[in-house]
Amino acid sequence: MELSTALPTERLAVDGKQKPAIKIGIVGCGSRGLTVLERLCALAGTGERRIEINLFDPHRPGPGLHSVEQPEYLMLNTVASQISMFPDQAALGGFSGRQGPDFYQWCLRFKSAERTVQPNAFLPRAWLGEYLAWTYEEVIRSLPTNVRVKHHARVVDNVEHTDLGGFVLYTGAQKHPVDWLLITVGHAESALPVNISNGLTKSFQAYPQPYALEGISSTDAVGIEGLGLSAMDAVAGLTVGRGGQFVQAPEGLHYRASGQEPRLFMYSRSGLPYRTRPDITPHRVGGSPLIFTLSAVADLRAENPQGLDFEAQVLPLLKAEMLAEYFGMIAALQGESSLRIKSEIANAFLMGEIQTKAAELAQRFAVPMLEDSAFNPRYLKAPVDNYSRWVKAFIENDVKESILDLDHSPIKAAVEVWRSCREQLRRVVDNQGLTPESHRIFFNEYAPLVNRMVAGPQKERHQELLALAQAGVLQWVHGSKVIHSASTSDVSVTLDDGQVLVLDAVIQAHVSDNRTTASQPRIIRQLRESGIIHSVNGNGEAPFVDSHGKAQPNLWITGPIVEGATYYNHYVPSSGSYSRAFVDADRIAREMLGMAVTA
């Protein structure tokens, strides 16, 4: 990507008159909108042309879903030093960024009096909201003289595409014409709970806390629908959020109840628990892949313009990379050269002898083979019988691996490939890189597998689940034991002793899927209905955008709402290494400002 060599002053005059201001609209100003705003303001300072930026967000700019008002028991699942809103050269792929503190450095400055702050610590989500709000204020404080930013604390009701190619955004009776438009409205909208009057079970959402759960009493039996991050938040809200305490004792973690907790029953469709995030050495930098590389993906895409078959053409590279990490770490732990073992595996893959090599290394190091559950979404099945005991054993074993940390657990090192190679996965998926059938399989089966492997909660959250189960507050129920009444709102669970219990409340503790028209924000539905944007496959799924989020020459849609058209949009930016969020934001800003770029 190269900047145009034209000087800013060469683009300012038309027939001796100053060019009109560039008018930009940004709908939604959470972390994604903030990255583009920061890039716009930083780059606009290199020229003189007036820039008018209109931000549309009913809430305070910056925090997005990371509300500063949420309770501090709701924690991030990314360590502090891996989050930053200030891109450096590494994050921008070589371009110069803006100087500023990462989240860890900011916490040291503003939060160290409240609790101990470590670079590899998982900190309160509300603190991230404060950091994002502070970043917005810093960007506004340092605005170039030719840039004006106006925040409209309103929801955009309607968008019109003008005959001249621009857009008009409506907020009530007000009209806001813009030349360039970015829509980054975050997660899909959750359907409002419907309480059917002729049933006993009430329905709740997990957010916003603590208000969302106020209608649940201590005498209720509560189903928590989900086993991921939202479910962990719901559990926290109904336990520590109600005065309960976790106490570390010589024999392990114990829960001291407040008496205000309801009985909790956790379940999901698959019944498969998430793996927890492993402990990470502060400022750890991982190695580069040897097999599943960006160049390997580029070659596959070039050789298969009609689309890739993920399972037949991509998964073998991923699996080989996992085996390299798995046996490489085992070798290091046994005093041998990790790099040499990885090289042997890479060579075996090229020779078509990867399975033979893996079996040979397993025998040589006297270790089991890497479990298929690390890369095969159909391998692991949750047992119906003794399900609660099975979940408990799974969590106990996984927590032990997380405590070993990412540099001492071979299984954690192997599954981390899903995370460390996310840019490769993006380039496989983006711009319709998969065949339609393979695209469906990837997002229905492999994307959930990735989330279970590397996007789970902190290990402390699962340790708390074990303590709650020990205290009799929480129980896991297999999904097949959950019965939804066909005629009422009633949801019941069949317990291990055969008792059928009608739940008083159910919490929908999972992120809404944006790949249905009903769950998409109103502005996205309206743009599709007016023909301004189109879906990936024409049936109402995610809006079609290219790999950089572009839906029209002057319209971008980014963030979780385009998951499906692109991949892995659910994260906060980071510096120190290549960051897709920052690179995309920089590219969008340069195009809006008329600074020519090349891929």
Side-chain angles (χ1 to χ4, degrees), residues 50-116:
R50 291 182 299 119
I51 313 296
E52 296 179 5
I53 304 173
N54 286 279
L55 296 179
F56 300 88
D57 196 313
H59 306 292
R60 181 182 183 183
L65 65 88
H66 302 286
S67 168
V68 299
E69 299 173 353
Q70 63 189 309
E72 291 197 356
Y73 57 73
L74 298 180
M75 310 295 282
L76 293 161
N77 74 324
T78 303
V79 298
S81 61
Q82 291 182 349
I83 299 172
S84 179
M85 291 304 297
F86 296 91
D88 55 13
Q89 279 194 325
L92 288 173
F95 285 119
S96 296
R98 179 194 294 257
Q99 293 293 316
D102 63 25
F103 181 49
Y104 165 63
Q105 293 165 340
W106 181 89
C107 289
L108 281 178
R109 178 178 173 186
F110 293 104
K111 293 294 185 179
S112 57
E114 297 182 32
R115 60 176 285 178
T116 301

Side-chain angles (χ1 to χ4, degrees), residues 403-421:
I403 291 172
L404 286 175
D405 81 32
L406 197 52
D407 291 314
H408 295 88
S409 167
I411 182 60
K412 291 292 183 182
V415 299
E416 189 72 6
V417 168
W418 285 116
R419 187 172 186 272
S420 62
C421 291

Side-chain angles (χ1 to χ4, degrees), residues 292-307:
F292 188 43
T293 61
L294 293 175
S295 60
V297 172
D299 290 343
L300 281 174
R301 291 292 301 263
E303 294 163 6
N304 299 273
Q306 78 285 358

Side-chain angles (χ1 to χ4, degrees), residues 513-524:
D513 187 351
N514 70 288
R515 292 179 297 150
T516 60
T517 302
S519 68
Q520 291 169 4
R522 178 180 175 184
I523 189 172
I524 298 296

Side-chain angles (χ1 to χ4, degrees), residues 1 11 54 64 101 185 199-200 218-219 224 230 260 269 289 308-309 373 403 411 434 467 481 522 524 541 590:
M1 186 161 56
R11 302 193 294 271
N54 286 279
V185 287
L200 299 175
S218 60
T219 58
I224 297 180
S230 296
Q260 298 303 308
R269 281 174 297 181
L308 295 168
D309 182 319
S373 62
I403 291 172
I411 182 60
L434 297 172
K481 302 291 186 179
R522 178 180 175 184
I524 298 296
E541 290 195 1
R590 289 175 187 274

Side-chain angles (χ1 to χ4, degrees), residues 234-246 255 258 261-262 264 468 473:
V235 170
L238 295 172
T239 53
V240 294
R242 297 197 168 189
Q245 293 180 317
F246 289 98
Y255 182 68
S258 68
E261 303 88 348
L264 305 178
L468 289 169
V473 175

Side-chain angles (χ1 to χ4, degrees), residues 269 310-311 377-378 418 425-452 513-515 536-537 541-543 559-570:
R269 281 174 297 181
F310 181 81
E311 293 185 302
R378 306 175 196 109
W418 285 116
L425 287 169
R426 288 192 193 103
R427 297 192 189 190
V428 164
V429 173
D430 291 358
N431 294 320
Q432 296 181 302
L434 297 172
T435 64
E437 177 62 13
S438 193
H439 182 277
R440 182 191 67 78
I441 291 172
F442 178 81
F443 278 99
N444 287 347
E445 299 187 47
Y446 285 91
L449 173 68
V450 175
N451 290 338
R452 289 199 305 273
D513 187 351
N514 70 288
R515 292 179 297 150
V536 172
N537 54 15
E541 290 195 1
I561 202 64
V562 293
E563 187 76 5
T566 60
Y567 176 60
Y568 212 92
N569 295 283
H570 306 76

Side-chain angles (χ1 to χ4, degrees), residues 523-534:
I523 189 172
I524 298 296
R525 297 198 301 269
Q526 187 263 321
L527 286 170
R528 180 182 289 111
E529 289 164 3
S530 61
I532 297 174
I533 64 172
H534 307 279

